[in-house]
Amino acid sequence: MAEAAREAGSLPVANVQALADTCNNGADEQVPERYLAKEPGAEEVVAAGDSTCAIPVIDLDRLVDPRSSSSECAKLVSACHDWGFFQLINHGVPEQVIGNLKSDVIEFSKQPLEDKEECAQQPGGVEGYGQAFVVSEDQKLDWADMLYILVQPTESRDLRFWPTRPPSFRNSVDVYSSEAREVGYRLLEFMAKGVGAEPASLRGVFQGQALGMRVNYYPPCRQAADRVLGLSPHSDADGLTLLLQINDNVHGLQVKKDGKWFAVEAMDGAFIVNVGDALEIMSNGKFTSVEHRAVIHPTKERTSVALFFFPSSDMVVGPLPEFMKGDQVQYRSTSFHDFVKQYFAEKLDGRKHLDRLRQLWIWSQGAEGYQ
Ligand code: OGA
Ligand code: NI
């Protein structure tokens, strides 16, 4: 069931937290060339300060309240279409649950490397402590360490990769993931409702399916913060992603819109939600899976926790009838399993894979027209 979420391993690479310690503290330590992934100033970045340039804010209370539901739903739909991203406030996950997760995740990153490596990724596997998306010996590397585990449903868990230190880690993840899962399901209902589809149509695709969690740890980079990238530009392959930023006041997420990068300042206690490739396809392009990346701070570390909502790996992902209602089909259908394989093979190369599915479809339509 959770196969697609488990596939496509990464080549082993050095631990970045340890590398950063050496580089940041050594007098003439250089950041290795393989991490220098961008030219400073090569692309325009819009600062987060200007509220007209910020990703939209959606209020779950307003979605639920019958008096405000339809206007908030309309706002949700345009956020998902125009930005593919929004911040979610009043989501109802108790502060205590989030607080416990935050402190355990921070505690985990402070463990000695040998302890963290008890959860190390296995060759060819994707779960565990290590890296994602390293597929070739000469690609640029991300300035981050990651811990990826399947968290829901309970049967999908492989506890070999679940930290035992701090001792409360497992329980915090268990509680957080079941609370946050419900928030994701509710959002899927409102997203469907907002475009006139049956609320259960989208929820039903994801309910009970695999939920992956990735803790991204981004160490500071004193010498070359403007040349390394914490996470290269990518779109997420899943349906929906809920991101929680752990450190207040250290930001790093940037979202691409109209050819520019928009810095996101995570609101305290909010979730940053984004549409993944699978949902762009299912919605026949009514929602957009947008390229995003993470940049690095020169002196401060940053941690985020992403929850990925996957459809069943044997599902044939294509535009859902509920979302078409007479529209032209925009995407070629493919099994989610094959989609994820391709996604990893093409590495984090922006939205290339999704664009290819779209083009294949357009091309096949065109080719038929010529016959
Ligand atoms: C991700 C992601 C962004 C961040 O994990 O897919 O985009 O700010 N993370 O950590
Ligand atoms: Ni992402």
Side-chain angles (χ1 to χ4, degrees):
M1 170 217 40
E3 271 164 68
R6 252 190 231 287
E7 259 173 59
S10 187
L11 297 174
V13 290
N15 181 265
V16 183
Q17 190 171 1
L19 177 65
D21 274 346
T22 321
C23 292
N24 290 335
N25 300 324
D28 350 279
E29 285 300 334
Q30 295 291 320
V31 172
E33 185 66 31
R34 276 193 83 185
Y35 292 90
L36 302 178
K38 77 177 176 81
E39 288 296 323
E43 290 173 290
E44 189 175 346
V45 177
V46 182
D50 184 347
S51 64
T52 57
C53 295
I55 61 170
V57 177
I58 302 294
D59 183 333
L60 186 57
D61 274 351
R62 284 180 51 82
L63 281 173
V64 174
D65 186 337
R67 288 165 302 179
S68 46
S69 189
S70 58
S71 67
E72 199 68 8
C73 237
K75 205 172 150 193
L76 172 68
V77 168
S78 45
C80 292
H81 181 265
D82 302 343
W83 284 89
F85 266 85
F86 57 90
Q87 304 213 41
L88 184 72
I89 57 168
N90 293 323
H91 48 65
V93 176
E95 257 174 55
Q96 174 93 49
V97 170
I98 291 184
N100 289 345
L101 180 82
K102 284 188 177 183
S103 59
D104 285 345
V105 159
I106 290 173
E107 205 45 53
F108 173 73
S109 65
K110 289 192 183 139
Q111 303 291 316
L113 183 56
E114 311 82 84
D115 289 1
K116 286 182 288 210
E117 286 187 332
E118 283 175 11
C119 311
Q121 265 170 8
Q122 306 289 310
V126 64
E127 279 186 276
Y129 182 62
Q131 279 291 328
F133 316 114
V134 183
V135 291
S136 95
E137 293 293 346
D138 49 27
Q139 84 190 58
K140 292 289 181 186
L141 296 177
D142 291 339
W143 193 256
D145 298 312
M146 296 159 183
L147 171 72
Y148 179 70
I149 47 178
L150 287 178
V151 289
Q152 295 284 355
T154 323
E155 320 78 87
S156 70
R157 296 178 185 173
D158 187 340
L159 292 177
R160 286 178 300 164
F161 302 110
W162 286 54
T164 51
R165 273 173 296 235
S168 47
F169 187 98
R170 293 180 171 192
N171 186 53
S172 299
V173 169
D174 178 47
V175 176
Y176 172 75
S177 60
S178 63
E179 292 269 353
R181 173 168 70 166
E182 203 44 50
V183 173
Y185 290 167
R186 300 198 78 184
L187 281 174
L188 289 164
E189 288 179 335
F190 288 114
M191 286 160 84
K193 193 171 156 211
V195 296
E198 192 52 48
S201 60
L202 219 45
R203 181 180 176 132
V205 168
F206 293 93
Q207 186 148 335
Q209 302 302 330
L211 206 63
M213 184 181 103
R214 187 161 71 213
V215 178
N216 302 300
Y217 174 78
Y218 304 107
C221 184
R222 192 168 50 81
Q223 301 101 321
D226 54 352
R227 299 187 62 198
V228 297
L229 274 176
L231 207 49
S232 336
H234 66 285
S235 62
D236 296 349
D238 61 345
L240 198 69
T241 307
L242 253 57
L243 188 86
L244 186 68
Q245 186 167 293
I246 300 289
N247 319 74
D248 302 332
N249 302 318
V250 191
H251 304 290
L253 174 65
Q254 297 185 343
V255 174
K256 202 161 204 182
K257 187 171 189 283
D258 307 327
K260 296 178 211 161
W261 290 107
F262 287 80
V264 174
E265 226 164 69
M267 296 165 74
D268 218 3
F271 286 132
I272 299 170
V273 183
N274 69 281
V275 172
D277 295 347
L279 195 51
E280 174 171 329
I281 298 172
M282 288 176 204
S283 71
N284 200 31
K286 290 190 169 59
F287 308 138
T288 344
S289 173
V290 168
E291 220 184 313
H292 52 285
R293 67 180 187 180
V295 297
I296 293 297
H297 194 279
T299 55
K300 292 179 185 162
E301 62 186 7
R302 174 172 172 263
T303 305
S304 67
V305 177
L307 270 187
F308 302 103
F309 289 71
F310 294 105
S312 157
S313 64
D314 53 22
M315 177 184 185
V316 175
V317 176
L320 298 173
E322 281 276 327
F323 283 75
M324 307 231 295
K325 307 252 168 89
D327 297 355
Q328 182 95 43
V329 176
Q330 300 283 351
Y331 299 84
R332 186 184 166 112
S333 300
T334 179
S335 79
F336 189 61
H337 172 93
D338 290 348
F339 181 83
V340 168
K341 266 188 147 158
Q342 275 299 320
Y343 173 89
F344 276 97
E346 285 170 23
K347 208 251 163 186
L348 285 165
D349 198 3
R351 284 174 28 94
K352 191 168 131 203
H353 180 49
L354 194 59
D355 290 344
R356 201 168 63 87
L357 278 183
R358 202 181 174 117
Q359 267 150 22
L360 272 177
W361 175 257
I362 291 165
W363 178 83
S364 69
Q365 293 294 88
E368 264 166 30
Y370 284 109
Q371 274 166 10

